[in-house]
Amino acid sequence: MIVDIGLIALALAFASAAYAVGAAAYGGAAKRPAWVTSARYAALTIAPLLTIACLMVILSNLTENYNLEYTYRVSNRAQLTILKITSLWGGQNGSVLFFAWLMSLFVFALFVREWRGNRTLEPWVLVVSMGTQLFFLFLSLFFANPFARLWLGAGGEVSAAVIAPAGARPFTPADGQGLNPLLRHWGMVIHPPLLYLGFVGLTIPYAFGMAALLGGSTASDAAWIKATRRWTLLAWLFLSLGLLLGGRWAYDVLGWGGYWGWDPVENSALLPWLAATPFLHSVMIQEKRGMFKVWNMILIVMTFCLMILGTFMTRTGVISSVHSFARSSLGGPFLAFTGLVLIGSAALIVWRWNYLKSENTLESAWSREAAFVLNNFLFMTITFTVFLGTYYSMFSELLFGEKKMVRPDDFNRLIGPQVTALVLLMGIGPLVAWRKSSPQALARMTRPAALAALVVVAVLVALGFRDLGTLAGFGVIAYAGLITLEEIYRGVRARMKLSAESPFTALGRLIARNRRRYGGYVIHMGIILVGIGVIGTMMYQQETQRGLRPGESITIGDYTIIYQGSELYVPETEPDKTVFVGHVLLSVAGGPPEVMNPPPYREIFQQGGGLLPPALRSTPWGDDLYVLFMGEEGGFGTLKVFINPLVNWIWIGGFVLIVGTLAAMWPSGAAAMVAVKSRRRSLVVGEAGR
Amino acid sequence: MKPKFLLGGALLTMAVILVIAGGFAGGAQYFLTIGELRAKGAEFQDQNVRISGAVLGDSIRTYVDVQTPIVEFDVVDAVEKDGQFQRVVGQAPLHIVYEGPRPELLQDDAQAIMEGRLSANGTFHADTLLLKCPTRYEEQFPEQAQGN
């Protein structure tokens, strides 16, 4: 029953999407608004239908219906109820459905209100967004159906199919296999949905871009960009959050001392972010100056293709990776769809070339426009580097017949200088005037920051740092960070002078009044802080490992860790897992030893695999001591210890980046309210001051 | 746009592609099967390479050497057939030495990926050891029938 309802809902959603594509295309081409309205209503049915389908999968998990193949694979009786729910996206077939569902929510939010924008765009936005939706529903229905059931054939063989094979009867195993142990951590429960939200969100700017091209003259103005700015920022926010949480999760449970390993799946989630970020920047030139129209189309097509490729990579084991939990049959359809998107989009851009003519030209190499060109160029070289490095083994095998892999060190070595240049530009860029500026003017404006950065470098040299990359990195971070802070400070001071506001009110109102500009500065500050942590961990991580008898100790930097013995137990809530705890004491700089709590431990799962969470101790300036208990063998417990300098600035910077993005995308209404409130308060403050 | 800019941009793009591709090519690590490593043993000796193979369960041995736990085991090549990995029959195994406690996943038929160096005596010293369960997680169905 549950299975049938889910399957019918999924099939209906597929039919709705197919109808919406056809009706919207006809309505748009033949100028028949009634058909477009009909298509819109069809599009609106998809979210409720897929909600039912998703609920049916969850219900099947909750009722322990192991006749359903998907429930059998991702759930078992011992599993916590919350995990029975979240295992909706814990395996391939469920996550494809889940992905389609998230996409339908975005589409629903976009079309639920009467269309108020450019009417010519509406049918084509429907065609493109519903076309993408249709593809994922097609995958879900025909290639990764979560409603396949288990059957026992006449010969005793078990198979999974939606429709009963001839002569087979339903088969229900006594218990399921359970969720992949790695996916049982809370970080792993929320990390995929966030990334997926970022991925599906990118469909909307792409759909608008293509709709602008399909509509003809609509391609020449920036209406499609203005209409999607917030959607793009929202998608970007989710992508950033997904990447940050993925890093944090790896740091907290995988036990290799790091947060980013240049793993192919990590990279393929980073790639859409790397293409969406320059898009967010370069659309500003189209809005302000009517330039870069073709380029912006290319960027959004690239972003969308990298998103599809990313989805594909996370779901298939094309390139060996810790993330590829299963290989799958989705490769063919994904490649076909990516090809279709690439060729179709390129054809549209060429077809509408005349509408994409630039209204202005670059007037000076010292202009905001030129700074944006450079920004885009650097983002493209970084994107290319990550792309090539990720797929290097494939290219090298195809072209030279040898299988070679790119190692993390090579990524760092090649990307480090490019990112340093980008951060430098991030500091200077916002200061450069539109149309024309001069190097002299820039030098004048940034002289204090430049001097301060030189002082930072001099202090580092005096402290004994000699590595050029580190000095350049911290120098650039100081320079760009100080410029950005100075810009914010200048705005705050002006407000304080003009309207006698307190510094905090002035800051709040400054951001509220010009959310896009100052939200952007806050995001830039977030990047600066992340940069501090990245340089610290990349260049100065320390590591040591040793087997210890109880009572023996290991020393790294100022820390001495004393091993006290191990303990083994099975948690009541998860009987299929064994926890192996290493008890340790920590003494800092010769001080009295204290118990590290929670201790380092390893979780071992019956099905194989496990987690290796560290014991952590942070310093006020952001370093982490990272202690791992690797196991016990022949009376020796092995401890592996890292010092991760400045690592916590990554999480702090990530938080700042999120706050900045929220500020930049917050709708005007709410911002106005904040402004009114703070004005009242400032009046009171003002009066009290008198 | 002026042709001057287009030409300049194209040249710059070419230069960037060459620099990045060259940068990767210089440092990239060979990913070899055991057969390939053997065939070109001299060429790869003392060079950091990545190899993969299937673990022979009977060969796993652990001990502690000067406070460092050591794991030794043998691997042979495995080929994928009908979604299952199968050992290559009749191949002489490669002996692996890895410093660290025995990982839980190190068991008979596990797929192992190792990074390290082949020494002159034919032993492979692994710095990194990645393991996957012998049968892939999502791959198999239960054996005993329990119809309803």
Side-chain angles (χ1 to χ4, degrees):
Chain A
M1 189 54 188
I2 291 173
V3 177
D4 295 332
I5 294 174
L7 189 59
I8 291 167
L10 177 59
L12 284 176
F14 177 78
S16 281
Y19 170 77
V21 172
Y26 174 71
K31 306 257 182 300
R32 304 275 287 270
W35 282 89
V36 179
T37 308
S38 167
R40 182 179 143 233
Y41 288 145
L44 288 178
T45 63
I46 295 173
L49 283 169
L50 291 183
T51 305
I52 294 173
C54 288
L55 282 176
M56 291 306 122
V57 173
I58 291 172
L59 210 57
S60 169
N61 292 348
L62 287 175
T63 56
E64 303 177 341
N65 170 25
Y66 300 115
N67 176 235
L68 191 72
E69 185 206 4
Y70 188 69
T71 297
Y72 166 72
R73 289 197 190 287
V74 298
S75 187
N76 62 16
R77 295 186 193 281
Q79 204 151 308
L80 295 173
T81 305
I82 178 75
L83 290 179
K84 284 180 180 167
I85 295 170
T86 62
S87 54
L88 168 63
W89 58 87
Q92 175 183 281
N93 295 6
S95 62
V96 173
L97 173 67
F98 181 67
F99 194 88
W101 177 65
L102 292 177
M103 185 173 282
S104 75
L105 292 183
F106 267 85
V107 170
F108 190 86
L110 184 62
F111 286 105
V112 68
R113 281 183 302 179
E114 204 64 48
W115 193 268
R116 286 183 302 185
N118 186 334
R119 294 296 299 198
T120 4
L121 284 179
E122 185 181 13
W124 306 115
V125 172
L126 269 167
V127 169
V128 180
S129 59
M130 280 296 105
T132 311
Q133 178 90 65
L134 186 65
F135 167 69
F136 282 98
L137 288 172
F138 168 77
L139 282 185
S140 185
L141 202 54
F142 298 107
F143 285 86
N145 198 315
F147 298 107
R149 297 166 64 185
L150 293 177
W151 304 94
L152 189 63
E157 77 284 355
V158 179
S159 63
V162 177
I163 298 158
R169 55 198 177 85
F171 169 64
T172 305
D175 200 357
Q177 288 176 316
L179 189 61
N180 186 319
L182 279 177
L183 305 181
R184 293 186 198 173
H185 184 268
W186 67 269
M188 214 41 202
V189 168
I190 55 176
H191 155 71
L194 286 171
L195 264 190
Y196 287 1
L197 278 169
F199 281 1
V200 297
L202 291 175
T203 308
I204 291 178
Y206 172 75
F208 270 79
M210 293 306 102
L213 290 174
L214 283 161
S217 63
T218 43
S220 68
D221 61 35
W224 72 274
I225 285 170
K226 290 201 179 98
T228 54
R229 195 183 80 89
R230 255 188 216 116
W231 290 101
T232 316
L233 267 176
L234 184 67
W236 190 85
L237 173 71
F238 282 129
L239 267 183
S240 310
L241 265 173
L243 289 167
L244 276 165
L245 274 173
R248 182 71 219 201
W249 169 76
Y251 190 73
D252 278 348
V253 305
L254 291 186
W256 46 272
Y259 47 87
W260 188 264
W262 296 109
D263 174 279
V265 172
E266 290 167 6
N267 295 350
S268 44
L270 177 66
L271 282 167
W273 189 93
L274 282 175
T277 312
F279 175 75
L280 278 170
H281 286 91
S282 112
V283 292
M284 284 186 244
I285 318 178
Q286 184 165 350
E287 280 180 60
K288 286 232 162 68
R289 306 268 295 140
M291 295 161 69
F292 291 7
K293 293 177 185 175
V294 174
W295 178 238
N296 287 332
M297 287 290 176
I298 293 175
L299 270 181
I300 195 62
V301 171
M302 197 190 291
T303 306
F304 185 71
C305 284
L306 288 171
M307 177 281 267
I308 299 287
L309 206 62
T311 319
F312 164 56
M313 284 290 293
T314 47
R315 293 271 43 108
T316 58
V318 174
I319 290 181
S320 69
S321 152
V322 290
H323 286 72
S324 49
F325 296 113
R327 276 193 202 203
S328 79
S329 54
L330 300 184
F334 261 109
L335 285 183
F337 185 66
T338 312
L340 183 76
V341 167
L342 264 180
I343 293 165
S345 310
L348 276 178
I349 292 174
V350 173
W351 183 39
R352 297 303 197 189
W353 196 265
N354 281 338
Y355 291 113
L356 297 171
K357 287 234 173 78
S358 196
E359 292 157 33
N360 285 294
T361 48
L362 264 185
E363 290 171 35
S364 156
W366 295 93
S367 61
R368 181 74 65 84
E369 294 90 320
F372 275 124
V373 172
L374 198 53
N375 152 302
N376 277 240
F377 181 76
L378 284 169
F379 265 108
M380 284 303 102
T381 60
I382 294 171
T383 308
F384 175 74
T385 311
V386 175
F387 182 84
L388 184 67
T390 308
Y391 295 96
Y392 191 87
S393 63
M394 226 154 80
F395 293 128
S396 125
E397 199 166 10
L398 278 175
L399 295 175
F400 309 112
E402 14 173 72
K403 204 160 182 194
K404 287 178 99 175
M405 313 274 293
V406 171
R407 283 178 292 176
D409 284 351
D410 297 323
F411 276 104
N412 291 339
R413 186 168 52 84
L414 283 172
I415 288 174
Q418 299 182 53
V419 173
T420 309
L422 192 60
V423 171
L424 180 65
L425 184 66
M426 187 179 88
I428 304 172
L431 293 185
V432 189
W434 290 98
R435 304 188 64 167
K436 205 162 173 32
S437 180
S438 72
Q440 290 80 12
L442 272 177
R444 208 168 43 240
M445 285 164 91
T446 65
R447 192 165 298 145
L451 289 175
L454 280 179
V455 171
V456 168
V457 173
V459 169
L460 285 173
V461 172
L463 286 173
F465 290 92
R466 290 290 183 275
D467 178 78
L468 272 183
T470 310
L471 295 176
F474 280 126
V476 162
I477 277 180
Y479 179 64
L482 287 170
I483 294 176
T484 312
L485 280 179
E486 204 189 334
E487 276 289 290
I488 300 175
Y489 172 69
R490 216 174 279 168
V492 170
R493 203 182 45 185
R495 283 203 76 91
M496 285 169 66
K497 265 192 186 156
L498 266 176
S499 40
E501 290 168 344
S502 75
F504 289 108
T505 320
L507 178 65
R509 289 178 67 175
L510 182 72
I511 296 175
R513 282 295 160 79
N514 203 339
R515 294 183 306 279
R516 204 165 166 181
R517 177 163 169 203
Y518 288 97
Y521 284 154
V522 175
I523 298 175
H524 285 183
M525 280 314 295
I527 299 282
I528 297 274
L529 297 178
V530 170
I532 293 175
V534 170
I535 299 179
T537 47
M538 205 169 85
M539 309 295 293
Y540 299 100
Q541 189 185 50
Q542 297 175 51
E543 178 188 345
T544 183
Q545 172 176 320
R546 210 167 152 202
L548 302 165
R549 284 199 194 86
E552 290 180 335
S553 67
I554 184 172
T555 298
I556 183 169
D558 274 349
Y559 305 101
T560 300
I561 299 113
I562 306 148
Y563 179 60
Q564 294 219 290
S566 62
E567 181 194 347
L568 203 72
Y569 69 93
V570 176
E572 270 175 40
T573 47
E574 288 173 272
D576 62 343
K577 125 178 155 184
T578 310
V579 181
F580 201 8
V581 183
H583 292 292
V584 293
L585 301 178
L586 169 67
S587 152
V588 184
E594 285 171 42
V595 176
M596 281 197 98
N597 197 20
Y601 61 97
R602 55 186 313 166
E603 286 186 1
I604 305 144
F605 293 91
Q606 257 172 30
Q607 299 93 326
L611 304 178
L612 189 54
L616 292 172
R617 176 66 59 96
S618 306
T619 64
W621 57 91
D623 292 6
D624 262 0
L625 172 72
Y626 187 103
V627 182
L628 295 169
F629 174 60
M630 307 297 288
E632 202 184 82
E633 194 94 38
F636 287 90
T638 302
L639 296 183
K640 191 169 189 173
V641 189
F642 295 87
I643 291 180
N644 290 325
L646 303 175
V647 65
N648 285 300
W649 290 103
I650 294 174
W651 322 122
I652 297 168
F655 180 75
V656 171
L657 182 142
I658 287 154
V659 170
T661 315
L662 285 172
M665 62 182 276
W666 210 256
S668 317
M673 259 165 53
V674 172
V676 169
K677 256 190 204 156
S678 55
R679 176 176 301 159
R680 274 199 206 116
R681 195 177 312 132
S682 71
L683 275 177
V684 174
V685 171
E687 277 158 16
R690 252 174 244 145
Chain B
M1 229 188 276
K2 287 177 194 153
K4 197 170 66 175
F5 282 121
L6 279 180
L7 187 69
L11 283 177
L12 192 59
T13 308
M14 293 273 282
V16 168
I17 291 177
L18 283 178
V19 167
I20 294 171
F24 277 138
Q29 178 187 41
Y30 278 95
F31 193 3
L32 306 166
T33 62
I34 289 149
E36 286 164 347
L37 181 68
R38 280 263 166 66
K40 300 183 198 169
E43 190 185 324
F44 292 117
Q45 201 162 320
D46 290 325
Q47 186 186 336
N48 195 305
V49 295
R50 187 181 169 107
I51 58 169
S52 64
V55 175
L56 303 180
D58 294 340
S59 68
I60 302 170
R61 204 163 69 84
T62 62
Y63 56 92
V64 177
D65 178 34
V66 204
Q67 299 217 324
T68 306
I70 310 270
V71 186
E72 295 190 20
F73 56 94
D74 293 345
V75 291
V76 292
D77 275 330
V79 286
E80 195 178 355
K81 212 173 157 188
D82 307 327
Q84 294 276 328
F85 278 87
Q86 288 171 5
R87 288 179 195 172
V88 170
V89 185
Q91 186 185 39
L94 178 69
H95 190 65
I96 312 283
V97 179
Y98 170 73
E99 281 186 19
R102 175 179 174 167
E104 277 72 27
L105 287 178
L106 185 68
Q107 45 187 273
D108 192 35
D109 251 358
Q111 273 175 269
I113 294 177
M114 290 137 294
E115 289 177 9
R117 288 155 209 277
L118 184 68
S119 62
N121 65 5
T123 303
F124 190 84
H125 292 270
D127 310 318
T128 316
L129 173 60
L130 301 169
L131 292 156
K132 256 187 182 179
C133 304
T135 37
R136 256 195 323 277
Y137 215 78
E138 292 197 0
E139 214 62 10
Q140 97 242 72
F141 293 118
E143 278 169 20
Q144 83 280 24
Q146 209 199 45
N148 62 345

